[in-house]
Amino acid sequence: MKFAILPKPWTQTVTELEAEGHEHVSLEGNPDVLIYHGGAADFPEEIPESVQFAQFAWAGIDALDEAGILKRSGLRWANAAGLYDDNVAESTLALILGALHQYRRVTRDGSTTREIAHETQYLVEDKTVAIVGAGGIGKKLLSFLVPFGVYTIAVNRSGRPVEGADETVRMAEIESKNVWGRADVVVLLAPLTESTRGMVNADVLAQMKQTAVLVNVARGPLVVTDDLVEALNNGTIAGAALDVTDPEPLPADHPLWDCERCLMTPHTASTPRFGKQRIGGLTLRNWEALQRGEALRTEVDVEQGY
């Protein structure tokens, strides 16, 4: 296999694949596989006909889809679904705990101590956690939640039971099954599509418990940010924890920074070093599947965009 890595080579990935007998070439060297880890603006205008598929280094491929690159490229695409389940699930658990424990509200002078002590919540208090978009990360998170004894609701498109969840609900039934209203913690792990953009808006936030917290480690535009700011300031919900925002990066003067009940991390639920460590192996597995005439293990539906 000849492979190219854009926008620039990752030394660790190159070394790993070369050790397996594969050849690193430039795009002009007619690679069989293109490993891509950049954004829409960096994607080349023309791709050699030799490229049999493009391996994206991250799970979320919505930015490339929105820019029309998936369809324009004419390529088969694979994403990194499942590659970062463990570290993203760990980050998600940390955000859940941080939001429930009121970490964002700590002040230097201790003036918030009494309020924090009064309003801190714990997962071990018979909580219900809803995971919206319960794929690989959601399944790993479910296993991490077991010691806390929570009741878990997995929400997916198919409604097929998710292993480890106490209940599985089809995305289309999320309101009729009152998932928003039953959950103490709502975790967003859904892909960003036309149907999920803005799914958490003022109406949904109003359905949630006043003591509930919202955790988003998927994509910022799943949430209508202005509605979330208002809900936090009005006490509609108890808190939020966000690894992603809309817009992103969040401007320094954005009102979300002033929401004392919103804990934020800078899109670090997963970091580039995990991509460099893991994408080589996934690329090989997809290449081997292709050689056997099978579907790529993490093939993207170009029409659906995920």
Side-chain angles (χ1 to χ4, degrees):
M1 175 185 75
K2 292 196 298 183
F3 65 95
I5 304 180
L6 295 178
K8 59 182 180 180
W10 279 346
T11 302
Q12 185 172 350
T13 305
V14 170
T15 300
E16 179 183 355
L17 291 176
E18 287 184 336
E20 294 292 330
H22 304 286
E23 181 184 359
H24 177 227
V25 299
S26 67
L27 196 62
E28 292 72 27
N30 294 317
D32 301 301
V33 176
L34 169 61
I35 299 173
Y36 189 67
H37 59 84
D42 298 318
F43 196 78
E45 287 294 325
E46 295 185 7
I47 301 295
E49 292 183 2
S50 61
V51 176
Q52 298 181 45
F53 74 91
Q55 174 66 66
F56 194 49
W58 316 115
I61 203 166
D62 49 275
L64 300 186
D65 181 49
E66 289 178 7
I69 288 172
L70 298 189
K71 294 178 182 177
R72 174 172 63 80
S73 69
L75 297 172
R76 294 175 68 178
W77 282 83
N79 66 5
L83 206 59
Y84 312 112
D85 290 354
D86 50 0
N87 56 304
V88 177
E90 180 179 324
S91 297
T92 305
L93 179 59
L95 287 169
I96 292 172
L97 295 173
L100 289 175
H101 294 185
Q102 304 285 327
Y103 290 162
R104 174 67 174 82
R105 302 179 65 198
V106 175
T107 56
R108 288 188 181 189
D109 62 5
S111 59
T112 58
T113 300
R114 193 168 289 181
E115 290 182 9
I116 292 172
H118 177 68
E119 296 180 26
T120 291
Q121 302 182 65
Y122 299 89
L123 277 178
V124 294
E125 297 180 292
D126 298 321
K127 297 295 186 186
T128 294
V129 178
I131 301 174
V132 181
I137 297 170
K139 292 174 185 176
K140 180 63 70 171
L141 178 60
L142 285 167
S143 70
F144 287 176
L145 289 170
V146 169
F148 296 94
V150 298
Y151 183 85
T152 52
I153 306 171
V155 181
N156 60 20
R157 284 189 304 153
S158 67
R160 287 191 293 271
V162 175
E163 183 179 356
D166 294 300
E167 180 183 349
T168 301
V169 173
R170 288 178 59 240
M171 187 74 79
E173 298 179 325
I174 192 169
E175 294 208 11
S176 64
K177 298 287 188 179
N178 193 29
V179 173
W180 303 119
R182 288 190 286 148
D184 299 291
V185 178
V186 173
V187 178
L188 301 181
L189 291 172
L192 179 62
T193 65
E194 290 185 9
S195 62
T196 61
R197 182 179 294 275
M199 68 185 302
V200 177
N201 54 26
D203 290 340
V204 165
L205 292 163
Q207 294 175 46
M208 293 172 61
K209 295 180 180 179
Q210 194 170 4
T211 54
V213 299
L214 176 72
V215 178
N216 188 4
V217 288
R219 285 291 183 264
L222 295 176
V223 179
V224 179
T225 305
D226 290 346
D227 291 354
L228 177 61
V229 170
E230 185 174 355
L232 291 169
N233 288 337
N234 293 343
T236 302
I237 62 172
L242 311 174
D243 186 55
V244 290
T245 58
D246 182 29
E248 187 175 312
L250 200 65
D253 60 351
H254 196 282
L256 198 57
W257 288 114
D258 297 323
C259 293
E260 65 169 13
R261 297 177 184 274
C262 185
L263 174 66
M264 288 187 284
T265 50
H267 207 145
T268 51
S270 187
T271 58
R273 66 185 174 90
F274 282 95
K276 296 174 183 179
Q277 291 169 2
R278 299 178 178 184
I279 198 61
L282 177 59
T283 302
L284 281 182
R285 292 192 291 276
N286 276 325
W287 172 254
E288 291 164 357
L290 186 69
Q291 300 313 296
R292 295 192 298 266
E294 301 171 359
L296 306 177
R297 295 169 63 97
T298 58
E299 187 153 6
V300 172
D301 185 328
V302 172
E303 293 300 319
Q304 294 288 338
Y306 61 93

